[in-house]
Amino acid sequence: MVGGMSGTVQELLAAHDAQLRGRVPRVSPVGAVIEQDGPVVRTHYGTHGTVDLPDGAVPDVVALIRRQQAVFAEHGEPVEWKLYSHDQERGLGERLREAGFTAGWERAVLVAEIEDLPRPGVSSAGREVREAGAGGSRYDVHDRIRRIAAGTGPHRTSLAELEANAPQWGKLQITPADARALAGRSLWWDTMVFVLESETKVLGAAWYERVDDSEFSSLGGMTGPYPELVAALARRAGLHDRRIVAEADGALQGMLEEAGFQEITRVRTYHWYPPGSVASDRPVQRLIRDPEHDAIWNRFEDRYRFMRRNDIFDGITEPSDSVTWHLAACESPDDPLVTEIQEIVERGLRACAKPGERLYWLDWQHEGARFDPERVGGPGRPRWPGRAYPDADYHVYLTDDLRLGTFGNPREDSLCVFGDELLAEVEEDLTALLGIVLRRGGRNLGNIWEFGPPDA
């Protein structure tokens, strides 16, 4: 099959394999863990996982498959494994079926040079394409679009996955070290949703994401064969990338090929389900500008009278079961003391969480998260979301019933811990680390601040 390809198709196929297969992104999707096992790249999402095996010789395919099954069984995750028709499959498809994998859909893999795609022209009467960002302040992907997207496919990346995965410049998943490594990148624009509308009716949608460290954007999916969406995609992706990759069949494939895409190979999925129950949600779920995010903020503000003003008061009304420390001992967000504070807070929150309870991390006017404290932190697990340290913004850890949590105030440079259960776990350690407390139960103790721990 490879021998019959044109030079252009061969070039596109070579770039696809070199840049898109077997890659480990610099920033993992939110709530996911990426592991490399020899030639295999595994991604664990908590609810499912994927295997990516680039083309190449594998000494013992059967052992490789069994090892992946053992790992995913330990995580309790169903797994998807993609095989490409241009690979020398080494009998891998047959070996997967023998191991209990089930063959799924098959589609064409299509690639286009962005410069060859049409640009937006005059819209048809009453039809208009608009951009709906998948993150940040442009987060206006409404439920109608989500329902249309969920009712079509399968897609290369579903819209739900795109929204759950997309890393942003907030502190949910990206550490200061990550931010330095990604300097100059605007992750805000690394994901985008395009909506085709006729007056007030949504006709269709398409969504894409940039592929880090490559020449490619990835067309995650398109709900139908709409040329207007291809033109909008080409205009936006052309600002940064050279090529677009897509997966399609039927009428959608025909429309993409007519627009300038070329089929470079075909791909088939194989699926395996481990025994036992499967988690219904990811260990970490992004929250931003949605009803749950707004509701938890509103309840926190009402309970603790959170205010943001430039004069008399700025912060919360601290409850009777609270202690507040000054953070002046921390010289910067990278100070080792910040890491120690975080470790103490994480241990305390994990110890106080009820079985199956989800916690929240909130970052004022930025994205937050709902997370399972038993499934984050440590080897093989996603990072604990956010930090207690108020790095220029108000940071809050909170239980859903508001009984305990932390409040980091950047204006005062302080950390308040509230809830008798949590104080019993962390007060002694935080006092030893940070020194004399500022307030107890919201009442100033009259202490003079000293750097470092109190004298013995």
Side-chain angles (χ1 to χ4, degrees):
M1 178 177 179
V2 174
M5 292 180 177
S6 67
T8 300
V9 170
Q10 289 178 0
E11 178 186 350
L12 295 176
L13 181 61
H16 171 275
D17 286 357
Q19 298 179 40
L20 302 182
R21 298 180 63 185
R23 60 183 299 275
V24 178
R26 284 183 285 179
V27 178
S28 299
V30 171
V33 175
I34 298 178
E35 300 174 329
Q36 191 143 19
D37 178 4
V40 166
V41 176
R42 289 190 301 263
T43 303
H44 300 278
Y45 294 99
T47 54
H48 65 288
T50 61
V51 170
D52 182 8
L53 176 63
D55 188 21
V58 177
D60 190 340
V61 171
V62 173
L64 178 72
I65 295 171
R66 288 175 178 169
R67 190 161 69 245
Q68 307 318 305
Q69 288 177 297
V71 172
F72 283 105
E74 183 178 357
H75 284 73
E77 297 171 321
V79 58
E80 178 184 84
W81 192 319
K82 287 185 175 181
L83 290 186
Y84 293 84
S85 61
H86 71 284
D87 289 343
Q88 296 178 3
E89 292 189 11
R90 308 171 297 278
L92 187 53
E94 183 180 352
R95 300 288 86 78
L96 287 172
R97 288 189 291 271
E98 291 173 351
F101 280 77
T102 302
W105 48 257
E106 181 180 351
R107 291 188 302 231
V109 178
L110 306 154
V111 173
E113 300 279 2
I114 292 177
E115 65 180 14
D116 295 335
L117 295 177
R119 292 301 188 268
V122 178
S123 299
S124 302
R127 291 164 69 103
E128 181 181 0
V129 176
R130 69 176 180 89
E131 296 177 354
S137 61
R138 297 177 59 84
Y139 192 85
D140 57 352
V141 180
H142 55 70
D143 287 342
R144 172 61 176 160
I145 301 171
R146 294 189 180 101
R147 287 196 296 270
I148 293 174
T152 58
H155 301 292
R156 177 178 170 87
T157 304
S158 71
L159 179 57
E161 287 284 293
L162 181 76
E163 292 188 276
N165 290 345
Q168 302 296 320
W169 272 124
K171 295 170 282 295
L172 172 60
Q173 185 83 356
I174 298 178
T175 67
D178 290 333
R180 287 192 293 271
L182 293 167
R185 289 290 302 276
S186 175
L187 296 181
W188 182 339
W189 297 106
D190 277 4
T191 60
M192 185 61 63
V193 179
F194 301 92
V195 184
L196 179 63
E197 297 176 321
S198 177
E199 297 180 348
T200 60
K201 182 180 180 181
V202 176
L203 301 177
W207 50 97
Y208 93 102
E209 58 186 325
R210 294 185 63 196
V211 181
D212 193 29
D213 294 326
S214 82
E215 303 173 303
F216 285 87
S217 290
S218 170
L219 176 57
M222 186 178 293
T223 61
Y226 300 109
E228 299 102 320
L229 293 175
V230 175
L233 170 69
R235 179 182 61 186
R236 171 59 63 188
L239 296 176
H240 307 286
D241 297 311
R242 179 182 172 189
R243 295 168 171 140
I244 303 178
V245 62
E247 293 173 6
D249 57 13
L252 179 57
Q253 178 182 351
M255 185 275 294
L256 291 175
E257 290 177 334
E258 185 175 344
F261 281 80
Q262 297 185 68
E263 179 177 338
I264 62 169
T265 187
R266 298 190 67 81
V267 62
R268 180 182 291 279
T269 59
Y270 288 80
H271 302 267
W272 180 76
Y273 295 83
S277 60
V278 174
S280 60
D281 59 358
R282 291 191 183 188
V284 181
Q285 294 178 284
R286 301 171 66 237
L287 298 176
I288 180 170
R289 297 184 183 276
D290 53 30
E292 183 177 2
H293 185 254
D294 294 344
I296 188 65
W297 263 119
N298 290 339
R299 290 194 290 121
F300 173 73
E301 291 174 1
D302 291 344
R303 169 76 69 86
Y304 296 104
R305 299 178 184 177
F306 176 38
M307 300 177 67
R308 301 149 307 281
R309 291 168 49 184
N310 294 323
D311 50 8
I312 303 170
F313 179 77
D314 189 289
I316 64 172
T317 299
E318 296 170 354
S320 58
D321 57 344
S322 69
V323 175
T324 301
W325 292 265
H326 203 285
L327 295 172
C330 303
E331 297 182 355
S332 74
D334 293 325
D335 193 309
L337 281 179
V338 174
T339 300
E340 293 186 59
I341 292 169
Q342 185 66 23
E343 290 173 351
I344 293 169
V345 169
E346 289 178 13
R347 286 199 305 268
L349 289 171
R350 186 177 283 116
C352 294
K354 300 174 183 177
E357 184 175 31
R358 301 299 188 260
L359 304 181
Y360 289 93
W361 180 73
L362 306 176
D363 181 4
W364 174 243
Q365 293 187 324
H366 294 85
E367 67 178 353
R370 182 180 70 247
F371 65 99
D372 182 347
E374 291 300 323
R375 298 163 66 201
V376 297
R381 295 177 174 178
R383 296 170 180 163
W384 189 283
R387 296 197 291 180
Y389 180 79
D391 182 9
D393 291 303
Y394 301 94
H395 290 177
V396 181
Y397 281 115
L398 197 63
T399 55
D400 182 66
D401 60 9
L402 311 183
R403 73 181 187 279
L404 58 84
T406 69
F407 175 73
N409 187 337
R411 294 286 304 280
E412 187 183 48
D413 201 17
S414 66
L415 177 66
C416 175
V417 176
F418 53 91
D420 287 331
E421 299 171 74
L422 185 55
L423 284 172
E425 296 288 341
V426 306
E427 181 177 356
E428 182 178 346
D429 290 340
L430 287 178
T431 301
L433 184 68
L434 298 173
I436 299 172
V437 302
L438 295 179
R439 293 183 296 276
R440 187 179 297 277
R443 297 173 61 88
N444 195 319
L445 299 184
N447 293 320
I448 298 175
W449 169 248
E450 299 177 0
F451 288 94
D455 295 333

